[in-house]
Each structure stands twice: as structure tokens, then as C-alpha cells.
Amino acid sequence: MSTNLPFCVPIAAMGMPMTAAAPGQPTSGYDAVMNCLDGGDEVHDWVLNYSGIQQLVAAMPAHIPNQNDNGDYFFESTVDDIHISIQSYTTLNEEAISGQSVPDQYLHNGQTYNIIGSIEHTIAFNNVTGWSVTLPVMLLGSVPMSILGKVGYSAFLKPLAQRLYTGIRKALTTTVEEGMDEAAVAAAADAAAEAADVTELILEESAIDASLSLETGGLAMIGFVGLIAIQVGIILIVHSSYHQLIIYNFTPYDLKWGDASLKHDAMITMQPVTDTTGDTPAQCLPAMSATSPSRFIAPVNTASMGQFNVYSDSETHGCKWGLSFRLCEAGTDNELTAPVGAMWDIPFSGKNSLGVSSGISQSDLSDWVKREEGEHRHHSRSIELDNNITVTNTLDHLQGKHKMALGSDDDGYIYRSVLVFQPT
């Protein structure tokens, strides 16, 4: 009689890992972001590569993964001399599996699951990790965990990695005909989950007659779909001026913001969405965290990040826009510093400018964005706040046409920025 192993993999934590996932594996992208603080080519290359995830992943084959010397699975491809790899690192709670300890449990759709381990998926460019997601691996509580030892770990971990990669690849290669709004993100996440989920997959390498079922749900794929949002906006909306922004929160505080101030005909084609519904704009990047799905699994130290894409189709104006930020005690609305304004001016003609200032509240934002136009035609500008926090705003170029996307020969009026909040 065949034994079925019903697994469930919801989302746990995502963002930029602060350390390598394993010895000898791709390094954290933290140093790469720090190299962007002066603006210029480093910003251009980092954001271009990061926003090119769609093209890079589309070039990956949908086959059984490779395996490195540590037993971890990976998929890889190269576009425009940029090597991308999706790594799958598995940590198992072997004490719980062997019955030496009681596992943590999780209630999902009315059923109890035992958390047997975690899978950390990382996305690396040229051996530098730009993003990761940690997914708890859970087995239905009615199934004795001792059966996993009889099946053999590699017999179920390899197909798990393959199924999850299938969903990730589906998420990262989604195309949307008219840009990517919040509802489209949720729909794409559901489609990716459907591609990953399986009701009965025969475990060919199992020591006993066994099969695997997997349920991910849209939540496990929300983060991956969000990664393509900037690129979708660039490919499918051919207008005059574009701005790509990645925000990094390396602080122990929640980073919150209000609605953007958009001037002339500037429009946001994508912004962060919540990882709980996928259809609600997120206006908070959580504090740095060390997250683990279980007491028995070492936490992954992760910094949160968010991406914006703004464009203008005006024949007389470019993109001018700004945001007002608040740094708050983690988990509360208690503000710890003065509010911070950040703005970017991409004019129809002339040089670009940027701004970052303390004391710019949401009510002050619109007027401040107007006043700052053309004031700071620099690649980088930094300020220091209370509580030893530094904020740095950047631009890659001040004028001219630049590469639109990886794998494309087209140039356009596209500019890229990173905005970094970090301890001084």
C-alpha cells in the first residue's frame, strides 16, 4: 500500500539575507548595496540586474535541479553576461523527525501540520544574493514523521525543490498585458501556486512505495510575483520617462510611508503589496529581523526591501515624485525620528535631481517636492537623523538614454535609484 506524504509550504520571511545561506555559497547583497551609496554606475548595474529577474529566470530550463557538494539544489542561467542562480537550501529538524523532540505545529485550513524543517530560496546575480524567502516545510500531523526516515530524505526533498521551483519560475515569468496592479499580483501568485501544487507525485527514489502531495497557496508565491513588477512596467508600457527605485531598510525600526506625491503626469505602475493578501499596497518595510519558522531551526537575519516603478507619458514633462517616511518602533506607530522626505526629478529635458530632507511630513510633501526641483543635481545625497540613522538617496545617471532591460538592445530615458536607511 502506497504512503502519501501531504506537505504544506506557506511563506515565512522574505527580503535581503544579511549573510550567505551556507559556507561557500553566494554572498549577501548587503555589500553591493553599500557600494551603491555614491550613486552612479553601481546603482545602474545593481537595479538593472535586480529588475531583470524576469528575463533571467525565463532563460532557466524547467528541469530537475542540479545539486551541489552540500546537497543543496540550484537552477541557473546567463543573460547579457549576468549569471543568475536560484538556490534551494534545506534545513531539517531531524530530532523531531526521529522522535527525540516534539515539533512545532501550525494550523492550516483547519488541519494541524508538524513543522519538519525549512527551505530557503535565494536569488543571486554573479554570486551575490539579492533576495531570499524562507519557507517552512510542514507535514500533515496525522502522518507519523518516522515514515520520512523510511522514505529517505533526498527522495522527498528533491521533488519538493522541483515543485517549488516550478511555482517560482511561473511567478517570475508572469506577463500582464496592461501593467501589474495589485489584483494582478494576487492572481499571478495563485497561478504560480497552482503550478507548484500537486495531489500525488510518485517518489521514484523512495525506499518504500510512497507519493508526495504539496499545497503552497498563493501566499508562498506573493513575494516572487512582486519581484517582476518593475520589469513588467518597463517592458509593457513604452512611454517617455521612467524611474526605478529600490528601498532598503537596514534599521531596527519599521519604515513607514504615506501616499506618493506625483507631479504632472507621473504614475506608479508598481509598489510593494502586503504579503498577506497581495491586493493591498504595503506602506511599511518591517525592521530588520531574525526569523525562523520553528524553535528548532536557526533564524535567517533578513532586511526588508521594496520596489517602485514610476513613469510619465507626458510630451512636455518627465517624472517628478516623492515620498514621506516615518521610522517607528517595531510593531507600533511610535515615531522615533523626525519624518523624512525623499524625491526624484526626472525632467523632460535637462539634468535629473534628487532630494532627501528631515522634517518633511506627509502634509508638507507636495510643496517640498515642488521646492526641491532641480536643487541637487548629484548622484547621491545623505542626511543623519536622531537615533544614529543615516538616509542616503541616489541616482545612477543625471541625463541621457540608458539600457532599458537585460536582454534588450533598446535604450531609453530610464533612471535607477536606491534609497537606503541604515544605522550610522
Side-chain angles (χ1 to χ4, degrees), residues 277-288:
T277 64
D279 59 4
T280 303
Q283 295 184 325
C284 176
L285 292 181
M288 286 275 296

Side-chain angles (χ1 to χ4, degrees), residues 1 13 16 31 56 108 127 130 147 181 188-189 223-224 226 262 278 296 306 315 343 355 372 382:
M1 179 178 177
M16 173 177 282
D31 288 340
L56 292 164
H108 177 71
N127 212 39
I147 198 71
D181 60 16
F224 292 102
L262 299 163
F296 304 98
E315 295 182 358
M343 63 82 68
E372 285 292 286
S382 297

